[in-house]
Amino acid sequence: GRRGRNISISVTRCVASSVNIFPIKSNNYCPSGLTLHEICRKRQLYSHLSLEPALSGFLRQMLIGAGGRRKLDNRQEERIYACVPQIIPYTTTSASRNITPILLFSQLNSLSSSYDQPLQRALTMAVHGAPPKRKEIYKYEAPWPLYSMNWSVRPDKRFRLALGSFVEEYNNKVQIVSLDEDTSEFSAKSTFDHPYPTTKIMWIPDSKGVFPDLLATSGDYLRVWRAGEPETRLECVLNNNKNSDFCAPLTSFDWNEVDPNLIGTSSIDTTCTIWGLETGQVLGRVNLVTGHVKTQLIAHDKEVYDIAFSRAGGGRDMFASVGADGSVRMFDLRHLEHSTIIYEDPQHTPLLRLAWNKQDPNYLATVAMDACEVIILDVRVPCTPVARLNNHRACVNGIAWAPHSSCHICTAGDDHQALIWDIQQMPRAIEDPILAYTAAEGEINQIQWGATQPDWIAICYNKALEILRV
């Protein structure tokens, strides 16, 4: 896109002149036996980067922390110092306030630059004296545009994801891909047909591997599949309106983590449906996965766009939903005669997405249609947002809480950016994200934080899946 070309131009111009920013001294200038921290202080690298605190912080983490307190000789010091001019140009990009390890080591791949690998290799060699063991980013190109995506949580399938195509016709696809850590390449393990694009895909939340290897998809109906290589088999179609030839499409669903026999769906017909799932082991070709409606309720005055179970109250019975009426509503399966309105948009703008904090069930995040900000809510203080994350320059498409931290959340949008925020200073205003990644080739329409892989975030844009190491 145009922005990508502009970034490339600015990088090229700065690289040409960057040698004058930090002139390399002779070895006679450097006394031996300094730590990386002492080198950075002596060369005044931190003061040079005073206008870019995020980058300065990264240097402290990467150039200092990675080397510990081990003493380095003159030659190692010079090699580190020689890398700095190559880092400086990237502070001129559009994401200069959000410089991150991913940006430094991966952004240039998207910009077709030749500086990324030499920089990564030089930094790692200078600190460790060995080539890097793992890439910071892996990419997979699908045959079709992608929308839905989800990480597998099974312990024996570390880098397995399910992807759903977005083709504006009846015939669509779901593909299961897996990363080979030895070859650093993604490969398709199974591909199967799906009616209409999937509005959501989820693997069964079974981190111990005791349930069958299932995944579910939503679209016209809720479907449950048994994963296999190469064949993935349809186990059951869950339809609560069998007396009609028409269906109300499902906008989303959520699989209960505490009780994987519960799945909740949201629909454009204003309802939420809680399904009970019975799973069993395969006996020959006998289909042993079935489902029944446990309850169905009118959740909103208009279409319901998302549903998510909360970990509060034991994690089984409480869930929330958002919809076209602009409200966030909370329900308890034990007391369905009433609901609690947690938040209502002042302009009644439809709310599209909902996500609960994985570690602190008091907090949830939501995003309105065409909004450039994410709203953080505290259920103990209903109707009043405790934070607004508003650094995106185009509408937000996805939100994902960290699986291992109560104060980190990632957002992604049409501005090509994935931003990670630290919200621990709430209720004080949160002005800037702590990490950022820019997908130069397209608008990010999906983001997922690996539940059992907290160091990895997955994004989708155009036909591409990328997993980013954070």
Side-chain angles (χ1 to χ4, degrees), residues 216-261:
T217 60
S218 57
D220 51 350
Y221 302 109
L222 181 68
R223 291 175 171 84
V224 180
W225 311 78
R226 189 182 298 267
E229 296 180 13
E231 180 186 5
T232 294
R233 185 161 61 96
L234 177 64
E235 290 288 311
C236 61
V237 178
L238 302 181
N239 175 16
N240 193 32
N241 194 19
K242 296 180 180 178
N243 297 324
S244 172
D245 293 334
F246 302 96
C247 65
L250 302 179
T251 54
S252 185
F253 72 97
D254 194 27
W255 210 324
N256 194 292
E257 294 182 7
V258 173
D259 183 359
N261 293 311

Coordinates of all heavy atoms in Angstrom, one line a residue, residues 216-261:
A216 N -15.0 -26.5 16.5 CA -16.3 -26.1 16.2 C -16.3 -24.8 15.3 O -15.3 -24.1 15.3 CB -17.2 -25.8 17.4
T217 N -17.3 -24.7 14.4 CA -17.4 -23.5 13.5 C -18.8 -23.0 13.6 O -19.7 -23.8 13.8 CB -17.0 -23.9 12.1 OG1 -17.9 -24.9 11.6 CG2 -15.6 -24.4 12.0
S218 N -18.9 -21.7 13.4 CA -20.2 -21.1 13.3 C -20.4 -20.4 11.9 O -19.4 -19.9 11.4 CB -20.5 -20.1 14.4 OG -19.5 -19.1 14.4
G219 N -21.6 -20.4 11.5 CA -22.0 -19.8 10.2 C -23.5 -19.8 10.1 O -24.2 -19.1 10.9
D220 N -24.0 -20.6 9.2 CA -25.5 -20.7 9.2 C -25.9 -21.6 10.4 O -27.0 -21.3 11.0 CB -25.9 -21.4 7.9 CG -25.2 -22.7 7.5 OD1 -24.1 -23.0 8.2 OD2 -25.6 -23.4 6.6
Y221 N -25.1 -22.5 10.8 CA -25.4 -23.4 12.0 C -24.0 -23.5 12.7 O -23.0 -23.2 12.2 CB -25.9 -24.7 11.6 CG -27.2 -24.7 10.8 CD1 -27.2 -25.1 9.4 CD2 -28.4 -24.3 11.4 CE1 -28.4 -25.0 8.7 CE2 -29.6 -24.3 10.6 CZ -29.6 -24.6 9.3 OH -30.7 -24.6 8.6
L222 N -24.2 -24.1 13.9 CA -23.0 -24.5 14.7 C -22.6 -26.0 14.3 O -23.5 -26.9 14.4 CB -23.3 -24.4 16.2 CG -22.1 -24.8 17.1 CD1 -21.0 -23.8 17.0 CD2 -22.6 -24.9 18.6
R223 N -21.4 -26.1 13.9 CA -20.9 -27.5 13.4 C -19.7 -27.9 14.3 O -18.9 -27.1 14.6 CB -20.5 -27.5 12.0 CG -21.7 -27.3 11.0 CD -21.2 -27.2 9.6 NE -22.3 -27.3 8.6 CZ -23.0 -26.2 8.3 NH1 -22.8 -25.0 8.8 NH2 -24.0 -26.4 7.4
V224 N -19.7 -29.2 14.7 CA -18.6 -29.7 15.4 C -17.9 -30.8 14.6 O -18.5 -31.6 14.0 CB -19.1 -30.4 16.7 CG1 -17.9 -31.0 17.5 CG2 -19.8 -29.4 17.6
W225 N -16.6 -30.7 14.5 CA -15.8 -31.5 13.6 C -14.7 -32.3 14.5 O -14.3 -31.8 15.5 CB -15.0 -30.6 12.6 CG -15.8 -29.6 11.9 CD1 -16.3 -28.4 12.3 CD2 -16.3 -29.8 10.5 NE1 -17.0 -27.8 11.4 CE2 -17.1 -28.6 10.2 CE3 -16.2 -30.7 9.5 CZ2 -17.7 -28.3 9.0 CZ3 -16.8 -30.5 8.3 CH2 -17.6 -29.3 8.1
R226 N -14.4 -33.4 14.0 CA -13.3 -34.2 14.6 C -12.1 -34.1 13.7 O -12.1 -34.5 12.6 CB -13.7 -35.7 14.8 CG -12.7 -36.5 15.6 CD -13.1 -37.9 15.7 NE -14.4 -38.1 16.3 CZ -14.6 -38.4 17.6 NH1 -13.5 -38.4 18.4 NH2 -15.8 -38.5 18.1
A227 N -11.0 -33.5 14.3 CA -9.8 -33.2 13.5 C -9.1 -34.5 13.2 O -9.0 -35.4 14.0 CB -8.9 -32.3 14.2
G228 N -8.5 -34.6 12.0 CA -7.7 -35.7 11.6 C -6.8 -35.3 10.5 O -6.9 -34.2 9.9
E229 N -5.8 -36.1 10.2 CA -4.8 -35.9 9.2 C -4.8 -37.1 8.2 O -4.4 -38.2 8.6 CB -3.4 -35.6 9.8 CG -3.4 -34.4 10.7 CD -2.0 -34.2 11.2 OE1 -1.0 -34.8 10.8 OE2 -1.8 -33.4 12.2
P230 N -5.2 -36.9 7.0 CA -5.6 -35.7 6.3 C -7.1 -35.4 6.4 O -7.5 -34.3 6.0 CB -5.2 -35.9 4.9 CG -5.4 -37.4 4.7 CD -5.1 -38.0 6.0
E231 N -7.9 -36.3 6.9 CA -9.4 -36.1 6.9 C -9.9 -35.6 8.2 O -9.6 -36.2 9.3 CB -10.1 -37.5 6.6 CG -11.6 -37.4 6.5 CD -12.2 -38.7 6.3 OE1 -11.5 -39.7 6.4 OE2 -13.5 -38.7 6.2
T232 N -10.6 -34.5 8.1 CA -11.4 -34.0 9.2 C -12.9 -34.3 9.0 O -13.4 -33.9 7.9 CB -11.2 -32.5 9.4 OG1 -9.8 -32.3 9.8 CG2 -12.0 -31.9 10.5
R233 N -13.5 -34.9 10.0 CA -14.9 -35.4 9.8 C -15.9 -34.6 10.5 O -15.7 -34.2 11.7 CB -14.9 -36.9 10.3 CG -16.2 -37.6 10.0 CD -16.0 -39.1 10.1 NE -15.6 -39.5 11.4 CZ -16.4 -39.9 12.4 NH1 -17.7 -40.0 12.1 NH2 -15.9 -40.3 13.5
L234 N -17.0 -34.3 9.9 CA -18.1 -33.6 10.5 C -18.8 -34.5 11.5 O -19.2 -35.6 11.2 CB -19.1 -33.1 9.5 CG -20.4 -32.4 10.0 CD1 -20.0 -31.1 10.7 CD2 -21.4 -32.1 8.9
E235 N -18.9 -34.1 12.8 CA -19.5 -34.9 13.8 C -21.0 -34.6 13.9 O -21.8 -35.5 14.0 CB -18.8 -34.7 15.1 CG -17.4 -35.3 15.2 CD -17.4 -36.8 15.2 OE1 -18.2 -37.4 16.1 OE2 -16.7 -37.4 14.4
C236 N -21.4 -33.3 14.0 CA -22.8 -33.0 14.2 C -23.0 -31.6 13.8 O -22.1 -30.7 13.8 CB -23.3 -33.3 15.6 SG -22.4 -32.3 16.9
V237 N -24.3 -31.3 13.3 CA -24.7 -30.0 13.0 C -25.8 -29.6 14.1 O -26.8 -30.3 14.2 CB -25.3 -29.9 11.6 CG1 -25.9 -28.5 11.3 CG2 -24.3 -30.3 10.6
L238 N -25.6 -28.5 14.8 CA -26.5 -28.2 15.9 C -27.4 -27.1 15.4 O -27.0 -25.9 15.1 CB -25.7 -27.7 17.1 CG -24.7 -28.7 17.7 CD1 -24.0 -28.2 18.9 CD2 -25.4 -30.0 18.0
N239 N -28.7 -27.4 15.2 CA -29.7 -26.6 14.6 C -30.9 -26.5 15.6 O -31.5 -27.6 15.9 CB -30.1 -27.1 13.3 CG -31.3 -26.3 12.7 OD1 -31.6 -25.2 13.1 ND2 -31.9 -26.9 11.6
N240 N -31.3 -25.4 16.1 CA -32.4 -25.2 17.0 C -33.7 -24.9 16.3 O -34.7 -24.5 17.0 CB -32.0 -24.2 18.1 CG -33.0 -24.2 19.2 OD1 -33.5 -25.3 19.6 ND2 -33.2 -23.1 19.9
N241 N -33.7 -24.9 15.0 CA -34.9 -24.5 14.2 C -35.2 -25.5 13.1 O -35.2 -25.1 11.9 CB -34.7 -23.1 13.7 CG -36.0 -22.5 13.2 OD1 -37.1 -22.9 13.6 ND2 -36.0 -21.4 12.4
K242 N -35.3 -26.7 13.5 CA -35.4 -27.8 12.5 C -36.8 -27.8 11.7 O -36.9 -28.5 10.7 CB -35.2 -29.1 13.2 CG -33.8 -29.3 13.7 CD -33.6 -30.6 14.4 CE -32.2 -30.8 14.9 NZ -32.0 -32.1 15.6
N243 N -37.7 -27.0 12.2 CA -39.1 -27.0 11.6 C -39.2 -26.0 10.5 O -40.2 -25.8 9.9 CB -40.1 -26.7 12.6 CG -40.2 -27.8 13.7 OD1 -40.0 -29.0 13.4 ND2 -40.5 -27.4 14.9
S244 N -38.0 -25.3 10.2 CA -38.1 -24.3 9.1 C -36.9 -24.5 8.2 O -35.9 -25.1 8.5 CB -37.9 -22.9 9.8 OG -37.8 -21.9 8.8
D245 N -37.2 -24.1 6.9 CA -36.1 -24.2 5.9 C -35.2 -23.0 6.0 O -34.2 -23.0 5.3 CB -36.8 -24.2 4.5 CG -37.6 -25.5 4.2 OD1 -37.2 -26.5 4.9 OD2 -38.5 -25.4 3.4
F246 N -35.5 -22.0 6.8 CA -34.6 -20.9 7.0 C -33.9 -20.9 8.3 O -34.4 -21.5 9.3 CB -35.5 -19.6 6.9 CG -36.2 -19.5 5.6 CD1 -37.5 -19.9 5.5 CD2 -35.6 -19.0 4.4 CE1 -38.2 -19.8 4.3 CE2 -36.3 -18.9 3.2 CZ -37.6 -19.3 3.2
C247 N -32.8 -20.2 8.4 CA -32.1 -20.2 9.7 C -31.6 -18.8 9.9 O -31.5 -18.0 9.0 CB -30.8 -21.1 9.6 SG -29.6 -20.6 8.4
A248 N -31.4 -18.5 11.2 CA -30.8 -17.2 11.6 C -29.4 -17.4 11.8 O -28.9 -18.1 12.7 CB -31.5 -16.7 12.9
P249 N -28.5 -16.8 10.9 CA -27.1 -17.0 11.0 C -26.5 -16.7 12.4 O -27.0 -15.8 13.1 CB -26.5 -16.1 9.9 CG -27.6 -15.9 9.0 CD -28.9 -15.9 9.8
L250 N -25.5 -17.5 12.7 CA -24.8 -17.3 14.0 C -23.6 -16.3 13.8 O -22.8 -16.5 12.9 CB -24.3 -18.6 14.5 CG -25.3 -19.7 14.7 CD1 -24.6 -21.0 15.2 CD2 -26.4 -19.3 15.7
T251 N -23.6 -15.3 14.6 CA -22.5 -14.3 14.5 C -21.2 -14.8 15.3 O -20.1 -14.3 14.9 CB -23.0 -13.0 15.1 OG1 -23.5 -13.2 16.5 CG2 -24.1 -12.4 14.3
S252 N -21.4 -15.6 16.3 CA -20.2 -16.0 17.1 C -20.6 -17.1 18.1 O -21.8 -17.5 18.1 CB -19.7 -14.8 17.9 OG -18.5 -15.1 18.6
F253 N -19.7 -17.6 18.8 CA -19.9 -18.6 19.8 C -18.8 -18.7 20.8 O -17.7 -18.1 20.5 CB -20.2 -20.0 19.2 CG -19.0 -20.7 18.7 CD1 -18.3 -21.6 19.4 CD2 -18.6 -20.4 17.4 CE1 -17.2 -22.3 18.9 CE2 -17.5 -21.1 16.8 CZ -16.8 -22.0 17.6
D254 N -18.9 -19.3 21.9 CA -17.8 -19.5 22.9 C -17.9 -20.9 23.5 O -19.0 -21.4 23.8 CB -17.9 -18.4 24.0 CG -16.6 -18.4 24.7 OD1 -15.5 -18.7 24.2 OD2 -16.6 -18.0 25.9
W255 N -16.8 -21.5 23.7 CA -16.7 -22.9 24.2 C -16.3 -22.7 25.7 O -15.2 -22.2 25.9 CB -15.7 -23.7 23.4 CG -16.0 -25.1 23.4 CD1 -16.5 -25.9 24.4 CD2 -15.8 -26.0 22.2 NE1 -16.6 -27.2 23.9 CE2 -16.2 -27.3 22.7 CE3 -15.3 -25.9 21.0 CZ2 -16.1 -28.4 21.8 CZ3 -15.2 -26.9 20.1 CH2 -15.6 -28.2 20.5
N256 N -17.0 -23.2 26.6 CA -16.8 -23.1 28.0 C -15.5 -23.8 28.4 O -15.4 -25.0 28.1 CB -18.0 -23.6 28.8 CG -17.9 -23.2 30.3 OD1 -17.0 -23.6 31.0 ND2 -18.8 -22.3 30.7
E257 N -14.6 -23.1 29.0 CA -13.3 -23.7 29.4 C -13.4 -24.6 30.6 O -12.6 -25.6 30.7 CB -12.2 -22.6 29.6 CG -11.9 -21.7 28.4 CD -10.9 -20.7 28.7 OE1 -10.3 -20.7 29.8 OE2 -10.6 -19.8 27.8
V258 N -14.2 -24.3 31.5 CA -14.4 -25.1 32.7 C -15.1 -26.4 32.4 O -14.8 -27.5 32.9 CB -15.0 -24.3 33.8 CG1 -15.3 -25.2 35.0 CG2 -14.1 -23.1 34.3
D259 N -16.2 -26.3 31.6 CA -17.0 -27.4 31.2 C -17.1 -27.4 29.7 O -18.0 -26.8 29.1 CB -18.4 -27.3 31.8 CG -19.3 -28.5 31.5 OD1 -18.8 -29.4 30.8 OD2 -20.4 -28.5 32.0
P260 N -16.2 -28.2 29.0 CA -16.2 -28.2 27.6 C -17.4 -28.9 27.0 O -17.5 -28.9 25.7 CB -14.9 -29.1 27.2 CG -14.1 -28.9 28.5 CD -15.0 -28.9 29.6
N261 N -18.4 -29.3 27.8 CA -19.6 -29.8 27.3 C -20.6 -28.7 27.0 O -21.8 -29.0 26.6 CB -20.2 -30.9 28.2 CG -19.4 -32.1 28.3 OD1 -19.0 -32.7 27.2 ND2 -19.0 -32.6 29.5

